Amino acid sequence: MTDFSVENVIIGAGVVGLALGYHLSEKNKEILILEKENDFGKITSSRNSGVIHAGLYYPKNSLKRKLCVLGNKLVYEYCKKNHIPHINTKKLIVASSNDQIEIIENLKKQAEINEVEGVKNISQNEVKKIEPLIYCEEALLVPSSGIVDPIVYMRSLVGKIENTGNMIAYKSNIKKINYDGNNFNLLIQNTDNKEETIIKCKTLINSAGLFASDIANKIEELKKEFIPKTFFGKGNYFNINKDLGIRHLIYPVPNEFSLGLHLTPELDNSVKFGPDFEWVDNSNDYTVNINKKEIFINEIKKYLPDLDTSSLSPSYAGIRPIIEKNDQSKRDFNIQTVDIHSIPHLVNLFGIDSPGLTSSLALAKHIESLLS
Ligand SMILES: Cc1cc2nc3c(=O)[nH]c(=O)nc-3n(C[C@H](O)[C@H](O)[C@H](O)COP(=O)(O)OP(=O)(O)OC[C@H]3O[C@@H](n4cnc5c(N)ncnc54)[C@H](O)[C@@H]3O)c2cc1C
């Protein structure tokens, strides 16, 4: 069994672990990212909408609001500087009936409170001019929303991490963690040859997404009262593989569970619809049930009434890690440090669901500030 030491270990090469790895690497920190899959970003970070959110939906004092608004700017800056495919498409949130107008009015007020700039009402006629296929009574235009290619973005982060001499160790499954008062000792098993390695580190960041609670449960010294249960909220997508001429993100008003079954234009101008929301027990089942097609059609037709749905096909699914099951308004990123669990140099990231992609670089800065 080999045995070696490194200053900082990040568990998870999803977009958040990679953004943090990049940020710390830029500060000349020695880091190792441990990832159980054979490549980066294979779980939630490549199974999302790829939307750069503006930050208007979340309560003012939430981490989601703070990190999304900052993250939005940071992701655009990073993409421009590093030639990552992205488009500032802007977003229309559409009231498809008169009783939804009050909801978009409230969203506009929330946008002002949240310091999301430039959000404005636009009339049915104005919507018709910019998106002739979209039906609504009224809409909100959100100028800072957009889309990004999450895979190219993550590949760029990986390149920058590796250029500094830091590493990502793939096929590394965490079996056991203990804290000896100074260091964390991690027992790692290679998922191919089952070889075991012990890695010692000063600082440990648990960025394991859907499995962050499982990882936390492996830390022998961490009291169970600090480990929330992670629930799984599956989101399915359907797509149409042709250019409908729609260039804005089109969102219905949000519902009790999610932002609603929205339309996202892809970078190649095809369109996808979703995600919907369903609680699941299995965190590995990404099949999209074809029987959902009728439900999708009913929802899409509310804002896109003339859509030819014959080519609407099941596409992919992603799973949200959710730690607050009942009250969506309380669903925030949950970042636990020594102040909460009393173990120095340990950061646990729980409930990093949407807008985790948008917030990734802001989360990285925030975590670094917590560590120092
Ligand atoms: C349907 C859906 C739509 C979304 N849409 C958007 C959007 O449009 N915009 C937006 O901003 N956000 C969106 N999100 C949220 C965003 O995708 C996530 O917040 C983000 O990807 C979380 O990244 P992560 O690095 O925390 O987690 P992950 O991507 O899950 O990465 C965690 C990594 O940890 C690894 N890991 C787990 N267990 C172990 C172990 N035992 N040992 C080693 N490694 C381990 C996993 O293999 C994985 O690679 C969406 C999410 C979903 C599900």
Side-chain angles (χ1 to χ4, degrees):
M1 192 184 297
T2 40
D3 195 347
F4 67 95
S5 296
V6 58
E7 196 184 325
N8 304 285
V9 164
I10 299 169
I11 301 174
V15 71
V16 175
L18 293 174
L20 178 63
Y22 156 68
H23 187 69
L24 295 179
S25 297
E26 294 286 296
K27 305 252 164 183
N28 297 319
K29 303 269 188 210
E30 185 193 33
I31 60 147
L32 172 67
I33 302 183
L34 298 172
E35 169 55 56
K36 77 170 159 30
E37 300 294 324
N38 62 1
D39 208 346
F40 63 86
K42 285 189 94 169
I43 311 294
T44 312
S45 295
S46 55
R47 296 178 164 278
N48 53 53
S49 303
V51 171
I52 306 173
H53 284 295
L56 59 87
Y57 296 102
Y58 319 106
K60 164 84 176 169
N61 292 324
S62 64
L63 268 180
K64 282 191 176 180
R65 198 286 305 174
K66 181 178 153 195
L67 300 178
C68 184
V69 172
L70 174 62
N72 173 291
K73 293 192 172 66
L74 295 176
V75 168
Y76 277 121
E77 271 168 33
Y78 184 94
C79 289
K80 275 183 206 143
K81 195 168 163 199
N82 296 288
H83 310 289
I84 311 297
H86 72 288
I87 305 174
N88 180 194
T89 55
K90 304 180 183 163
K91 164 157 92 173
L92 291 172
I93 306 177
V94 294
S96 51
S97 60
N98 277 321
D99 56 329
Q100 291 183 348
I101 290 178
E102 196 188 335
I103 303 177
I104 61 170
E105 283 307 322
N106 288 336
L107 282 174
K108 184 161 173 250
K109 282 185 202 140
Q110 192 64 40
E112 277 159 24
I113 293 169
N114 286 4
E115 294 165 35
V116 177
E117 288 162 13
V119 177
K120 61 172 188 182
N121 295 79
I122 61 170
S123 67
Q124 192 180 49
N125 284 342
E126 287 168 298
V127 171
K128 273 276 164 267
K129 277 185 207 147
I130 56 173
E131 289 294 359
L133 294 177
I134 299 301
Y135 168 78
C136 67
E137 294 295 335
E138 203 180 306
L140 275 191
L141 179 71
V142 186
S144 56
S145 303
I147 53 170
V148 60
D149 184 329
I151 305 283
V152 183
Y153 169 47
M154 287 189 281
R155 188 176 299 128
S156 164
L157 294 170
V158 169
K160 286 183 185 293
I161 292 166
E162 291 178 343
N163 282 345
T164 64
N166 283 324
M167 266 180 47
I168 302 168
Y170 295 109
K171 302 181 184 175
S172 300
N173 192 16
I174 315 314
K175 302 294 287 181
K176 219 167 141 183
I177 304 171
N178 89 286
Y179 179 66
D180 63 16
N182 281 314
N183 292 298
F184 296 92
N185 299 290
L186 286 76
L187 176 66
I188 315 297
Q189 188 178 53
N190 182 292
T191 55
D192 271 353
N193 59 21
K194 308 294 172 210
E195 209 173 274
E196 293 189 336
T197 308
I198 290 180
I199 294 173
K200 203 185 263 298
C201 63
K202 193 100 208 136
T203 300
L204 180 65
I205 298 113
N206 168 10
S207 180
L210 291 168
F211 308 101
S213 301
D214 295 346
I215 293 288
N217 271 309
K218 290 180 181 166
I219 305 172
E220 288 170 9
E221 293 70 21
L222 182 64
K223 293 201 182 108
K224 300 291 176 231
E225 66 195 82
F226 300 120
I227 308 174
K229 180 171 167 50
T230 299
F231 299 94
F232 305 130
K234 185 171 176 182
N236 300 278
Y237 293 86
F238 279 66
N239 73 346
I240 292 187
N241 208 359
K242 65 180 175 202
D243 183 359
L244 302 178
I246 298 172
R247 295 292 178 264
H248 291 76
L249 289 153
I250 310 293
Y251 276 57
V253 295
N255 60 41
E256 193 190 338
F257 296 107
S258 72
L259 301 185
L261 224 155
H262 53 87
L263 178 158
T264 305
E266 300 278 29
L267 289 155
D268 66 0
N269 292 330
S270 62
V271 286
K272 67 180 172 226
F273 300 92
D276 65 351
F277 191 102
E278 62 174 313
W279 293 114
V280 292
D281 294 325
N282 183 349
S283 59
N284 294 311
D285 180 4
Y286 291 107
T287 47
V288 179
N289 184 345
I290 180 79
N291 295 330
K292 284 177 175 276
K293 184 168 170 175
E294 277 313 306
I295 301 171
F296 269 69
I297 291 173
N298 284 340
E299 291 303 311
I300 297 164
K301 288 260 177 179
K302 289 178 187 162
Y303 56 82
L304 194 49
D306 298 328
L307 180 70
D308 169 10
T309 55
S310 57
S311 52
L312 185 70
S313 314
S315 182
Y316 65 96
I319 300 180
R320 308 160 178 95
I322 294 177
I323 52 171
E324 169 56 59
K325 197 168 185 186
N326 298 319
D327 186 349
Q328 203 196 159
S329 67
K330 293 197 186 130
R331 229 172 255 170
D332 202 2
F333 298 150
N334 182 335
I335 302 180
Q336 297 191 4
T337 61
V338 60
D339 294 344
I340 293 174
H341 52 57
S342 304
I343 301 181
H345 310 295
L346 170 67
V347 182
N348 281 317
L349 306 179
F350 298 116
I352 311 294
D353 64 337
S354 192
L357 170 66
T358 310
S359 309
S360 50
L361 293 169
L363 268 162
K365 275 178 176 255
H366 180 71
I367 295 161
E368 193 224 342
S369 73
L370 295 175
L371 285 171
S372 54

